[in-house]
Amino acid sequence: MGDTEHYLNQGLRGLWYPVLASWEVQSAPVGITRLGQQIVVWRNQQGELQALEDRCPHRGARLSMGWNLGDRIACWYHGIEVAGSGTVKDVPAVAGCPLAGRQCVRTYTIQEAHGAIFIWFGVTADQPASELVFPEELADGEHYSNFLCTAAWNCNYQYALENVMDPMHGTYLHSSSHSMAEGDRQAEMSLQPTDTGFIFQKEGQKGVNFDWVEFGESGAQWMRLSIPYRKRFGPGGHFWIVGMVVPEDENRCRVFFWRIRQVSGWQRDMWRFLYRNRLEGLHWDVLEQDRVVLENLAPDARQHEFLYQHDVGLSRLRRMMQKAARQQLGQLAEHPEVREPR
């Protein structure tokens, strides 16, 4: 495996990634693995998010196994207290310990938006975080309403990205779903560049099925699509989905999908009630179909493919990501002193 492929399998840098749903972080510290890094996330006494390398500087115990003291975590092993700044605040077992006052744990830039927690992963350790801009359907909370669903998949994150960049699979894999049973089972595909990425779509068919998908990068990588909905599935226009994927390691990822409708006023309340009581289970069934297929692909499936015209979208995405990976590896080669931990 070449350096570029190995780097890509662990995750591109210079991006914000969703790492957890907001509801997953309450009072107790939460330990996660994202982009191969072990991270602890918790909320301080004001409810603000903190994120550190999940490692006690004393003996390497997981800080996520310790206690939340508000502005710091106390390690379960020996009680070492580490603040959100990465500075050791106290070593209670030893008076005047030289470890106290030292900053020896890495911190992460973190923010919360739209029911999810995002962490910035720089190409280098000192790269400042970029602005995170969301697609309109997610950013406009006044005219749109959304539900976030997130799941862990046992496959490389690139498979999850490429699955969404493939509109044609909806007609087959999801043909028994409540929303994707219509549409041509044969189509020509075309690609259209945008300011943030590109749109990949079926030619001559729109508003029928999963007909198009957009890939964009605006601080984070995201995918956007819409599926026409019959009126019996509630008020609002098309059913929108905005998706993001974060690698855990080379063999596991976490998917985040916001399900969205353009509704306001009483229609918002009706849509949210209908979603929770009737539609959510149907959407989970569709997501499970994707998961089962991707987790059971043949070993090293990407090394033995025969791609055709319907795969132009994922081929473009692969070239874009490979180019970014080579550029990032070049940056790391030029500045090894500020290399991100991997």
Side-chain angles (χ1 to χ4, degrees), residues 25-53:
V25 184
Q26 302 298 327
S27 58
V30 178
I32 59 174
T33 300
R34 301 292 185 267
L35 278 72
Q37 298 181 25
Q38 284 71 50
I39 303 168
V40 57
V41 180
W42 80 99
R43 296 185 188 273
N44 64 19
Q45 54 268 59
Q46 286 80 40
E48 299 166 340
L49 288 163
Q50 313 282 299
L52 289 175
E53 176 187 359

Side-chain angles (χ1 to χ4, degrees), residues 242-311:
V242 172
M244 300 184 188
V245 183
V246 57
E248 294 186 6
D249 55 31
E250 293 192 16
N251 301 306
R252 287 174 290 271
C253 66
R254 186 87 178 260
V255 296
F256 290 76
F257 290 102
W258 286 265
R259 281 85 178 265
I260 309 166
R261 299 268 333 242
Q262 187 174 2
V263 286
S264 57
W266 66 267
Q267 290 188 335
R268 178 188 297 260
D269 295 334
M270 177 181 285
W271 149 246
R272 296 187 71 83
F273 176 83
L274 181 64
Y275 183 88
R276 284 298 191 202
N277 288 276
R278 185 177 178 186
L279 299 177
E280 187 172 21
L282 299 175
H283 295 161
W284 273 109
D285 290 343
V286 171
L287 200 61
E288 275 294 283
Q289 293 169 348
D290 290 318
R291 182 191 64 81
V292 168
V293 167
L294 296 181
E295 289 187 353
N296 289 280
L297 291 173
D300 300 318
R302 296 171 97 234
Q303 311 304 318
H304 304 281
E305 297 172 325
F306 190 102
L307 302 181
Y308 52 86
Q309 201 265 343
H310 289 176
D311 304 308

Side-chain angles (χ1 to χ4, degrees), residues 25-254:
V25 184
Q26 302 298 327
S27 58
V30 178
I32 59 174
T33 300
R34 301 292 185 267
L35 278 72
Q37 298 181 25
Q38 284 71 50
I39 303 168
V40 57
V41 180
W42 80 99
R43 296 185 188 273
N44 64 19
Q45 54 268 59
Q46 286 80 40
E48 299 166 340
L49 288 163
Q50 313 282 299
L52 289 175
E53 176 187 359
D54 193 6
R55 177 186 63 84
C56 178
H58 172 219
R59 295 280 303 282
R62 296 296 183 199
L63 291 172
S64 56
M65 299 173 70
W67 297 280
N68 179 355
L69 302 182
D71 66 337
R72 65 191 71 179
I73 289 181
C75 179
W76 189 23
Y77 203 9
H78 296 94
I80 311 299
E81 298 178 12
V82 185
S85 62
T87 301
V88 176
K89 291 295 186 180
D90 192 20
V91 183
V94 179
C97 179
L99 182 60
R102 296 186 60 184
Q103 183 172 0
C104 42
V105 178
R106 185 198 168 176
T107 65
Y108 291 83
T109 303
I110 189 167
Q111 65 170 298
E112 191 168 12
H114 307 299
I117 295 167
F118 292 81
I119 286 180
W120 168 256
F121 292 86
V123 177
T124 58
D126 62 351
Q127 182 184 17
S130 64
E131 182 184 6
L132 177 54
V133 179
F134 295 95
E136 175 189 359
E137 294 77 14
L138 193 53
D140 184 356
E142 181 180 355
H143 299 101
Y144 294 86
S145 181
N146 71 75
F147 289 93
L148 169 63
C149 98
T150 178
W153 288 0
N154 292 322
C155 66
N156 185 269
Y157 78 106
Q158 293 171 91
Y159 286 123
L161 285 173
E162 293 168 3
N163 178 69
V164 183
M165 293 309 304
D166 172 21
M168 203 64 199
H169 87 269
T171 308
Y172 290 88
L173 178 62
H174 306 311
S175 60
S176 62
S177 78
H178 68 291
S179 60
M180 283 185 273
E182 307 296 331
D184 293 337
R185 296 173 68 84
Q186 185 178 94
E188 293 295 315
M189 312 296 289
S190 62
L191 191 145
Q192 174 186 339
T194 67
D195 291 340
T196 56
F198 63 91
I199 293 173
F200 187 57
Q201 60 192 353
K202 295 180 181 178
E203 290 186 356
Q205 178 180 305
K206 196 149 187 180
V208 179
N209 198 327
F210 173 18
D211 304 323
W212 63 274
V213 60
E214 178 182 5
F215 174 83
E217 185 174 308
S218 54
Q221 291 182 339
W222 47 264
M223 297 160 293
R224 171 169 53 184
L225 60 99
S226 71
I227 301 171
Y229 253 31
R230 303 181 188 95
K231 289 186 177 180
R232 65 189 178 92
F233 292 120
H238 285 193
F239 179 68
W240 293 87
I241 298 175
V242 172
M244 300 184 188
V245 183
V246 57
E248 294 186 6
D249 55 31
E250 293 192 16
N251 301 306
R252 287 174 290 271
C253 66
R254 186 87 178 260

